[in-house]
């Protein structure tokens, strides 16, 4: 299979504009002839569906929630990047492009990243016009703050509720189109299969999560905007309902999976409290603007943080990275926190935490200033830990957060399956091996508002579509396949719960495919995961009925997918015998403990092709070429 990235020729600053001009257009009067399915209504999906509706297409939008406002985009806290240079500190489109390529450790396409930086300024204008209440300075201008991996202030924010406010903006645009009748919204539906007709994506099969019925829907193109797969680790910062079923079922229909091993560990999360936990809580990266990260210099120090004098504290990020300090990228901050804890400097009951201390900022600016910027985060921390972060430092530790891998897409955001588009976190395209903070919201809205509305038109205008009905053979075959799977799950009636298997998988993934990976550990994972999957299919117990409201059955299907995806992640990590960004192979590091890439062998996108059940997937490679930002050893010192 030949991968065609369809990156346009020409200077990087002109690629997108020239490409847009050369795309075929759909006549405004003809747009009403086409139907587009959008799966997922978070930031990427809601903005795309609203934009399609505004253009005049017929849109079918699906969410497993009862409202788009429940999408996990709402949980994003810190902000959204755009190089408007309001702080007058030297920012530019090129600098954001440079920081993103470097932050991703040179494992992303230059053309995609530049386009992302290029359209990001328009996102802010769009959201302000929608009424998003971005923070403003004393004079009334939009305010900015810093985030990891950058030496400029380019992050726009709405206190620590940026995702929520941006989602409300996209939701308002979507609601308008629902009211106009251009978008039909289907709540409480989960996509369980992609339907191909003559090799083209022409529809989906969904499970009605209220009635348990399987329903089929046909269209001329399908857009997946279903988020990432971090919950394969069981414990992550993702909501419990977040899952990988839509992209995984598309993968099993022939869509290539790009860079599955590239997962992000976020450095500022509340540490695990016990085996009872089902998810972890993120403390926004914005806290690293004013909080200082430290550990006791003495190993095994059990004193209270406030009892440890200044000279006995190790502000290790400031010591190791004087240029960036506490604002190094997430992968660097996460690895260093783990290193400190592994060396015996961890704090708290588990000794698997470091301090995030605001004492200096409070002394300098006052408590009221901190409350205004971060108050809701401080309240959340207090509710979870029963500790007052105004009086004693927060305790934080890295946790699984975002996934840079996802379905492979070309420059037009279309997968290798004609008519199947993938946007937002569900695709692999923009972040390489590590995502910089405040770039997820940026990518989701860039894809939905400013990229796919152009590129999908080119496909529709240049393709001849034969009429398709939901009772055609491909839809009936997909429905039968899903029914057979459901009946098999229900018939097992074993002794272990779905969550029990998910927890075991999560332990394997975190231990061997987590922050530190090794050849030995990855080979263990590739032994343990198939064994666990075999046990799942012989001993899982799914209660309830198949044709009814049944949350346990939904979870079982998702965990079945995780058990396959986890193996692919471990296989990809084993194959990539280098360290880059969030993929840290312990055998490949510098003397200072930094990631050591192998550009000669691994400067490519790993795109995996499904070859059948119980068969090893085939690896396709898309070579990465760097014309503008030459790969070098990342340094934040």
């Amino acid at each position: 299979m030949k991968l065609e990235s369809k990156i346009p020729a020409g200077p990087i600053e002109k690629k997108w504009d020239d490409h847009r001009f050369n795309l075929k257009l759909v006549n405004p009067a003809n747009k009403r002839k086409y139907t587009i399915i959008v799966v997922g209504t978070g930031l990427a999906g809601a903005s795309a569906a609203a934009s399609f509706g505004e253009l005049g297409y017929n849109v079918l939008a699906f969410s497993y929630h009862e409202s788009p406002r429940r999408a996990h985009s709402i949980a994003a806290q810190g902000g959204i990047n755009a190089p408007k240079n309001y702080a007058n500190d030297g920012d530019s489109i090129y600098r954001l492009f440079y920081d993103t390529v470097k932050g991703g450790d040179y494992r992303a396409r230059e053309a995609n990243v530049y386009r992302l930086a290029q359209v990001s300024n328009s996102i802010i204008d769009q959201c302000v016009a929608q009424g998003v209440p971005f923070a403003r300075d004393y004079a009334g201008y939009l305010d900015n703050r810093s985030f990891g991996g950058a030496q400029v202030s380019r992050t726009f924010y709405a206190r620590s509720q940026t995702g929520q406010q941006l989602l409300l903006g996209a939701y308002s645009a979507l609601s308008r189109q629902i009211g106009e009748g251009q978008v039909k919204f289907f709540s409480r539906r989960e996509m369980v299969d992609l339907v191909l007709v003559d090799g083209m994506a022409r529809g989906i099969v969904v499970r009605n999560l209220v009635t348990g019925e399987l329903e089929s829907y046909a269209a001329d193109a399908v857009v997946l905007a279903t988020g990432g797969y971090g919950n394969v680790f069981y414990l992550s910062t993702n909501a419990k309902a977040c899952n990988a079923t839509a992209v995984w079922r598309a993968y099993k229909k022939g869509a290539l999976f790009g860079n599955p091993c590239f997962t992000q560990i976020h450095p500022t999360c509340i540490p695990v409290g016990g085996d009872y936990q089902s998810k972890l809580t993120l403390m926004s990266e914005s806290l690293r603007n004013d909080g200082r990260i430290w550990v006791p210099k003495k190993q095994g120090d059990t004193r209270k943080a406030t009892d440890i004098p200044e000279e006995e504290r190790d502000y290790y990020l400031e010591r190791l990275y004087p240029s960036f300090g506490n604002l190094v990228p997430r992968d660097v901050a996460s690895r260093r926190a783990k290193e400190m804890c592994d060396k015996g400097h961890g704090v708290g009951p588990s000794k698997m935490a470091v301090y995030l201390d605001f004492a200096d900022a409070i002394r300098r600016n006052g408590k009221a200033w901190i409350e205004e910027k971060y108050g809701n985060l401080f309240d959340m921390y207090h509710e979870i830990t029963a500790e007052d972060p105004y009086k004693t430092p927060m305790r934080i530790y890295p946790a699984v957060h975002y996934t840079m891998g996802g379905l492979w897409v070309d420059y037009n955001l279309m997968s290798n399956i004609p008519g199947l588009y993938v946007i937002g976190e569900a695709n692999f395209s923009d972040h390489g091996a590590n995502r910089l903070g405040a770039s997820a919201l940026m990518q989701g809205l860039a894809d939905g508002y400013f990229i796919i509305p152009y590129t999908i038109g080119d496909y529709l205008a240049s393709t001849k579509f034969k009429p398709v009905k939901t009772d055609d053979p491909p839809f009936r075959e997909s429905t039968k396949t899903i029914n057979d799977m459901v009946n098999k799950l229900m018939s097992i009636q074993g002794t272990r719960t779905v969550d029990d298997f998910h927890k075991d998988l999560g332990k394997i993934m975190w231990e061997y495919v987590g922050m530190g990976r090794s050849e030995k550990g990855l080979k263990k994972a590739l032994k343990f995961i198939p064994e666990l999957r075999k046990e799942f299919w012989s001993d899982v117990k799914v209660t309830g009925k198949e044709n009814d409201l049944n949350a346990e059955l939904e979870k079982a299907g998702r965990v079945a997918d995780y058990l396959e995806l986890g193996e692919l992640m471990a296989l990809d990590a084993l194959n990539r015998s280098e360290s880059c960004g969030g993929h840290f192979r312990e055998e490949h590091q510098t003397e200072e403990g930094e990631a050591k890439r192998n550009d000669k062998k691994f400067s490519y996108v790993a795109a995996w092709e499904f070859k059948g059940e119980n068969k090893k997937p085939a690896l396709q490679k898309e070579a990465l070429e760097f014309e503008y930002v030459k790969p070098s050893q990342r340094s934040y010192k």
Side-chain angles (χ1 to χ4, degrees):
M1 182 184 297
K2 184 179 179 182
L3 295 180
E4 295 185 13
S5 61
K6 298 181 181 177
I7 296 173
I12 198 163
E13 66 273 8
K14 293 184 178 180
K15 285 183 187 291
W16 175 234
D17 290 338
D18 291 347
H19 185 67
R20 254 189 328 181
F21 178 77
N22 291 319
L23 291 172
K24 292 184 179 180
L25 301 175
V26 179
N27 181 293
N30 287 337
K31 288 189 172 75
R32 65 176 68 98
K33 298 179 181 179
Y34 295 103
T35 298
I36 303 171
I37 285 173
V38 178
V39 185
T41 51
L43 278 182
S47 58
S51 300
F52 294 150
E54 193 75 45
L55 288 169
Y57 295 110
N58 300 302
V59 184
L60 308 179
F62 296 84
S63 172
Y64 56 60
H65 294 301
E66 69 279 5
S67 167
R69 291 178 297 174
R70 290 284 308 279
H72 191 58
S73 301
I74 203 170
Q77 298 168 345
I80 177 170
N81 288 329
K84 283 185 173 290
N85 197 33
Y86 285 169
N88 199 29
D89 54 2
D91 203 7
S92 65
I93 290 172
Y94 196 90
R95 188 176 293 277
L96 175 54
F97 158 65
Y98 173 86
D99 288 345
T100 306
V101 172
K102 176 184 174 184
D105 221 353
Y106 307 94
R107 291 295 176 262
R109 286 190 196 130
E110 281 192 332
N112 285 68
V113 176
Y114 192 89
R115 178 177 62 184
L116 177 64
Q118 195 174 2
V119 305
S120 61
N121 283 330
S122 298
I123 297 172
I124 304 304
D125 299 336
Q126 167 90 355
C127 294
V128 169
Q130 290 174 335
V132 173
F134 286 121
R136 295 179 180 268
D137 62 19
Y138 183 75
Y141 294 106
L142 293 178
D143 197 14
N144 290 122
R145 59 188 177 196
S146 300
F147 255 64
Q151 291 180 301
V152 295
S153 294
R154 64 164 66 103
T155 303
F156 294 80
Y157 64 99
R159 212 178 183 201
S160 295
Q161 304 166 356
T162 314
Q164 179 182 22
Q165 299 304 326
L166 292 174
L167 184 61
L168 289 173
Y171 172 68
S172 67
L174 177 61
S175 296
R176 179 177 182 275
Q177 293 307 310
I178 293 173
E180 293 286 333
Q182 288 299 125
V183 177
K184 292 182 180 179
F185 177 66
F186 298 86
S187 65
R188 304 294 288 142
R189 264 80 167 186
E190 180 170 30
M191 175 181 156
V192 291
D193 205 13
L194 175 71
V195 179
L196 304 184
V197 178
D198 297 331
M200 297 158 50
R202 295 300 304 273
I204 61 173
V205 176
V206 303
R207 176 178 169 85
N208 185 316
L209 300 182
V210 176
T211 67
E213 295 177 285
L214 294 182
E215 303 169 353
S216 296
Y217 298 88
D220 300 300
V222 176
V223 179
L224 300 186
T226 52
Y229 48 91
N231 273 349
V232 72
F233 289 87
Y234 186 73
L235 286 178
S236 81
T237 66
N238 291 272
K240 286 297 291 179
C242 293
N243 65 86
T245 288
V247 294
W248 190 249
R249 304 291 168 89
Y251 162 75
K252 296 181 79 169
K253 280 296 181 74
L256 299 178
F257 209 114
N259 296 334
C261 78
F262 286 167
T263 56
Q264 181 170 79
I265 312 296
H266 198 293
T268 52
C269 299
I270 297 178
V272 177
D275 290 339
Y276 58 86
Q277 276 187 258
S278 61
K279 75 176 299 294
L280 297 172
T281 303
L282 174 68
M283 290 284 101
S284 170
E285 181 170 321
S286 63
L287 294 172
R288 292 201 274 151
N289 273 280
D290 296 295
R292 301 179 69 193
I293 295 172
W294 63 276
V295 293
K297 289 182 178 179
K298 178 183 175 183
Q299 292 176 319
D301 198 327
T302 58
R303 290 176 292 175
K304 293 180 180 179
T306 50
D307 292 338
I308 300 175
E310 190 73 14
E311 63 272 14
E312 295 182 33
R313 301 179 178 188
D314 181 8
Y315 295 91
Y316 57 89
L317 291 179
E318 298 172 32
R319 171 173 56 83
L320 293 169
Y321 308 100
S323 294
F324 282 74
N326 295 295
L327 288 174
V328 292
R330 292 174 174 179
D331 61 317
V332 176
S334 295
R335 282 199 300 276
R336 290 307 187 188
K338 180 180 185 294
E339 179 185 39
M340 290 297 147
C341 293
D342 290 346
K343 288 182 176 180
H345 299 280
V347 301
S350 67
K351 299 301 180 186
M352 296 300 287
V354 299
Y355 287 129
L356 179 60
D357 195 342
F358 286 84
D360 282 356
I362 292 173
R363 278 194 296 268
R364 185 171 60 250
N365 299 308
K367 182 181 177 183
W369 186 85
I370 293 291
E371 283 180 320
E372 184 178 347
K373 292 187 73 173
Y374 309 114
N376 57 323
L377 289 169
F378 277 53
D379 292 342
M380 186 163 62
Y381 184 87
H382 179 264
E383 289 297 314
I384 292 172
T385 66
E387 298 173 4
D388 185 352
Y390 291 104
K391 297 179 180 178
T392 187
M394 292 182 179
R395 287 178 290 109
I396 58 169
Y397 193 71
V400 173
H401 178 54
Y402 187 91
T403 50
M404 284 76 67
L407 293 186
W408 181 91
V409 292
D410 62 19
Y411 189 71
N412 292 327
L413 304 183
M414 187 164 75
S415 73
N416 58 297
I417 295 177
L420 177 65
Y421 289 79
V422 192
I423 60 177
E425 191 181 355
N427 75 31
F428 87 99
S429 66
D430 290 7
H431 307 296
N434 173 63
R435 178 177 68 78
L436 294 184
S439 288
L441 304 182
M442 178 174 64
Q443 187 206 350
L445 293 180
D447 288 355
Y449 281 138
F450 297 106
I451 299 174
I452 198 170
Y454 293 102
T455 60
I456 203 168
D458 180 73
Y459 171 74
L460 296 173
S462 58
T463 305
K464 290 185 178 180
F465 297 94
K466 73 176 187 181
V468 169
K469 297 180 180 178
T470 55
D471 59 355
D472 288 346
F475 286 90
R476 294 201 304 268
E477 291 167 11
S478 281
T479 300
K480 182 180 183 303
T481 298
I482 299 305
N483 270 323
D484 290 346
M485 178 184 178
V486 167
N487 291 333
K488 185 177 180 181
L489 283 169
M490 296 300 299
S491 68
I492 297 169
Q493 291 299 302
T495 62
R496 296 183 61 187
T497 67
V498 175
D499 280 340
D500 198 24
F501 282 102
H502 196 180
K503 286 180 181 178
D504 278 1
L505 174 64
K507 290 174 182 175
I508 294 170
M509 295 298 295
W510 181 249
E511 179 69 22
Y512 303 115
V513 201
M515 269 197 286
R517 303 164 178 181
S518 67
E519 180 179 1
K520 182 179 179 181
L522 290 166
K523 286 181 176 178
K524 284 185 178 180
L526 289 168
K527 174 178 180 291
F528 295 152
I529 295 172
E531 290 173 354
L532 185 64
R533 185 169 64 249
K534 183 178 179 181
E535 185 179 354
F536 172 87
W537 284 104
S538 64
D539 198 30
V540 72
K541 183 176 182 64
V542 181
T543 55
K545 299 178 180 178
E546 59 267 35
N547 297 318
D548 202 350
L549 189 154
N550 191 340
E552 200 67 15
L553 177 57
E554 297 156 25
K555 285 196 296 183
R558 296 166 186 170
V559 172
D561 294 333
Y562 287 145
L563 284 162
E564 296 175 350
L565 173 55
E567 184 174 2
L568 182 65
M569 292 167 66
L571 180 63
D572 186 41
L574 180 62
N575 177 76
R576 189 170 286 276
S577 187
E578 65 164 351
S579 289
C580 55
H583 168 65
F584 190 73
R585 284 285 296 269
E586 293 170 354
E587 308 96 320
H588 305 286
Q589 55 182 302
T590 66
E591 292 182 1
E592 295 81 21
E594 305 292 356
K596 188 175 182 180
R597 300 189 320 273
N598 184 337
D599 294 326
K600 187 174 182 180
K601 287 187 66 176
F602 295 101
S603 190
Y604 62 76
V605 177
W608 294 89
E609 179 186 1
F610 180 70
K611 301 300 287 185
E613 301 291 345
N614 301 316
K615 293 182 179 179
K616 187 175 180 179
L619 174 61
Q620 316 295 337
K621 298 178 182 180
E622 178 199 338
L624 292 170
E625 298 178 3
F626 296 93
E627 182 180 354
Y628 294 88
V629 184
K630 299 298 183 183
S632 61
Q633 177 64 41
R634 278 196 305 166
S635 175
Y636 294 95
K637 294 187 176 181

